[in-house]
Every structure is written in C-alpha cells, then in structure tokens.
Amino acid sequence: MENTINRTLCKNCGICAEVCPNKVIAKNGSVHFRQEREHLCLQCGQCMAVCPSKAIKVIGLSYENDFREIPRKKADYENFMQILSSRRSVRNFKNRPVSEELIDEIVGSVSYAPFGAAPEKMEISIINNRKTIESALPLISDFFNGIEKMIENPIASGFLRLMTSKEDFHTLKNHIYPIAKGGNYKIENGDGITRGAPTIITIHAPKDAEAHTNNGVIYATYIMLAAHAIGLGATMIECVIPAINRNKKLKRIFQIPDNNEAIMSIVVGYPKYKYKRTIKRNKHKINKV
Ligand SMILES: Cc1cc2nc3c(=O)[nH]c(=O)nc-3n(C[C@H](O)[C@H](O)[C@H](O)COP(=O)(O)O)c2cc1C
C-alpha cells in the first residue's frame, strides 16, 4: 500500500503540493508523491481535502469514510463569537442524564481538531453514569487531603517540588491548595469536584505519545464548545487529573489503562441556570512587534 494519485482524475494543478505541511508531494512535471519523503506524511488529509477532482489516495484515508463536503453557508465571525462569548463554565446541573447520542455528538467534534502528532494514540473515556462518578469522589477527595498535608510540611513540600514540574507544583501550591484548604474538595461539603454532573469525559493517551498534552487540551476545548453549542453545559475539570494519574483505582473507574496518563476531564450536563451576560476578560498580555 502506498499513497497514490489517480492520473486520469488529476488536473496537475499542484495545490496539494502547496498545502502539504511536509512537502511530501511535489509538482515538477506531474504532481507526485516523493517516495523519499513519504515517511513524513502525517495523514492529515489536507491534500485530499483540497484536491478539486478527488484524485488523491492517502493510506488509511478514503473520500467515502473520512471526508465531508463543507456546507456552502460559512459560519461567519459574528456567529462564531456569539458561541464563544456566550459560553460559561457550568457548575450547576439539572438532575437529568445526557443521552448517549448527544455525548457522541459533542465528542464527535474532536474529529475536526488539529493535532500536533499521533492523533491515533489519543483516547477518550466517557463516564455517563452519576453513580460511577460518585464512586470516584472519595478517592479524589483523599488525594486533595494528602496534597494539603504535603504542602503544609516543608520536607514533603520540597519532595513534591522535586517530583513535579515547576508548572504543576505552582498549580498545586498556589491554586489547588488554597481551594482544598477552603474545604471545596471535602466530600462532607458536597461535590465540589464534579459538581453533581451526570457525565465526565476524560482525554488520555500513552505517557510517551507524541504531543499528547497539547492534543488533549485542544480536544477538551472542542468538546466543551460543542457541548455549549448544542445547549449543554460543560466545564474543564483539571483538578481531577493529578488524582487520577496517581491512583490505580481511579484509573480503573475512569477506564484509563495503567500506561496512559489523563490530560483533561470535562464535566457535562444540562445547565440549571441561564447566564444573562458574558464576561470579557483582558487579563492576557499582547505583545506587538
Ligand atoms: C485548563 C483549565 C482547567 C480548569 N480546571 C477547573 C477545575 O478543576 N475545576 C473547576 O471548577 N473549573 C476549572 N476550570 C474552569 C475555570 O475555572 C473557568 O474557565 C474560569 O473560572 C473562567 O470561567 P468561564 O469559563 O465561565 O469563563 C478550568 C479551566 C481551564 C481552562
């Protein structure tokens, strides 16, 4: 099996060669795959998506199964901004389960996401059952109790610093610890972790998978926005991630193989309240040259 170009269909326009991110296709004379560069093909499908005459066949992709015509009516900027600006992180849910069809729809949005590398190594686990989520809460809560104790003990805190990246340590110390100390994650205070959501979706991948952290956050963003676009509420719940990754029982509940690491979870459900206005934040710095 190899990537091929159908000579009868190909008009030799060469657009495929121009869009190929890794110059796997060349146009000198006739358009062709460059054998010596075919190992650089990402199977991103850009060449097949742009070809006016469906002349290209990339290994593992077919026009019938993997491509869809783009609707003529383009989503314009205002519609897009309306979706972005009306989204909120929803943490209050109705006591109503979400159908599998809707979950499949929002998770389906990931099929259109960009990826850094190796999308085939990405995995998504869905718990669409409140009872199962509840069985995980005491274990997650215990993890936060442990973090509280570690941060408060200078020796344990130093050890934690050595065992985690600077980013993770600062997130635990400056963000998670004060919230844990405030009692949010204590099971006796109710569910301040998954917020009573009927569904939690977790993105994970093998620990050594290429670009998996960035891929995972992008996938989670797509899922969150897709949920909002169809009237569901969603929130990224990163705080569960270190707990899942350090506890085999939690990995089992979240259906994450031992060799994988969780990247991001998203809780999903029907929003209990309707937000009347959006928040426009300008906290980030923009540096123009
Ligand atoms: C990377 C990331 C991790 C987050 N983790 C949590 C979390 O663990 N728990 C939570 O309640 N919200 C979490 N959130 C939601 C943020 O708190 C929320 O986006 C922020 O409060 C702003 O509110 P908005 O999304 O309504 O604009 C997370 C958001 C992001 C982007």
Side-chain angles (χ1 to χ4, degrees):
M1 281 278 280
E2 55 181 16
N3 297 333
T4 51
I5 295 178
N6 183 318
R7 291 279 148 233
T8 319
L9 296 175
C10 178
K11 307 269 188 292
N12 223 26
C13 65
I15 304 174
C16 53
E18 284 188 47
V19 300
C20 175
N22 286 341
K23 296 186 172 23
V24 179
I25 305 177
K27 188 190 176 210
N28 44 9
S30 63
V31 172
H32 61 275
F33 278 96
R34 298 165 68 182
Q35 244 179 7
E36 75 283 8
R37 295 183 69 82
E38 282 202 56
H39 63 286
L40 297 178
C41 175
L42 296 170
Q43 292 175 308
C44 67
Q46 286 245 350
C47 54
M48 291 180 69
V50 82
C51 177
S53 54
K54 291 190 176 173
I56 303 179
K57 171 88 188 83
V58 169
I59 297 168
L61 295 177
S62 75
Y63 280 111
E64 295 71 34
N65 298 331
D66 303 301
F67 292 82
R68 275 171 51 177
E69 296 303 312
I70 296 174
R72 278 192 176 276
K73 189 179 168 301
K74 278 193 198 149
D76 62 26
Y77 181 76
E78 268 180 32
N79 286 339
F80 180 60
M81 289 308 273
Q82 167 95 24
I83 289 182
L84 292 188
S85 65
S86 58
R87 179 208 61 82
R88 292 270 62 80
S89 288
V90 170
R91 300 188 183 85
N92 306 85
F93 298 100
K94 287 184 182 161
N95 186 11
R96 177 181 170 192
V98 180
S99 71
E100 270 191 33
E101 290 72 29
L102 286 185
I103 297 296
D104 288 347
E105 257 181 58
I106 63 174
V107 169
S109 66
V110 158
S111 311
Y112 302 106
F115 59 89
E120 72 283 359
K121 294 184 186 169
M122 300 301 298
E123 296 185 43
I124 300 173
S125 290
I126 299 161
I127 307 181
N128 197 12
N129 176 319
R130 181 65 201 160
K131 284 245 160 342
T132 309
I133 296 174
E134 280 172 2
S135 72
L137 292 177
L139 298 168
I140 300 171
S141 183
D142 281 353
F143 169 82
F144 289 121
N145 289 337
I147 289 293
E148 246 183 273
K149 289 196 185 105
M150 278 187 102
I151 297 284
E152 287 172 2
N153 176 322
I155 295 170
S157 179
F159 185 67
L160 189 64
R161 167 65 200 95
L162 290 175
M163 299 298 289
T164 48
S165 68
K166 263 192 191 169
E167 180 184 3
D168 287 349
F169 180 70
H170 281 173
T171 307
L172 286 172
K173 183 165 173 266
N174 303 333
H175 181 66
I176 298 287
Y177 169 72
I179 297 174
K181 195 74 186 155
N184 268 37
Y185 303 138
K186 301 246 182 301
I187 212 74
E188 60 270 27
N189 295 335
D191 175 11
I193 301 166
T194 64
R195 313 281 180 164
T199 308
I200 188 163
I201 299 170
T202 302
I203 323 285
H204 55 100
K207 292 170 187 165
D208 60 359
E210 299 80 355
H212 67 273
T213 308
N214 289 336
N215 287 347
V217 176
I218 291 168
Y219 285 17
T221 307
Y222 270 52
I223 288 171
M224 182 182 66
L225 290 173
H228 170 60
I230 58 173
L232 293 167
T235 293
M236 288 201 205
I237 301 290
E238 191 179 15
C239 70
V240 300
I241 298 302
I244 295 172
N245 285 335
R246 283 170 179 78
N247 186 306
K248 281 195 175 178
K249 273 192 199 156
L250 279 173
K251 275 195 158 175
R252 234 162 280 137
I253 294 172
F254 279 76
Q255 303 168 59
I256 296 173
D258 280 348
N259 192 38
N260 279 21
E261 66 186 359
I263 303 158
M264 184 61 80
S265 290
I266 310 108
V267 289
V268 180
Y270 284 91
K272 193 168 172 190
Y273 305 113
K274 197 169 163 35
Y275 286 87
K276 304 276 190 296
R277 56 201 65 85
T278 186
I279 310 167
K280 190 167 184 220
R281 300 188 186 94
N282 290 308
K283 291 191 167 179
H284 48 276
K285 247 192 235 161
I286 297 178
N287 300 313
K288 287 190 179 170
V289 182

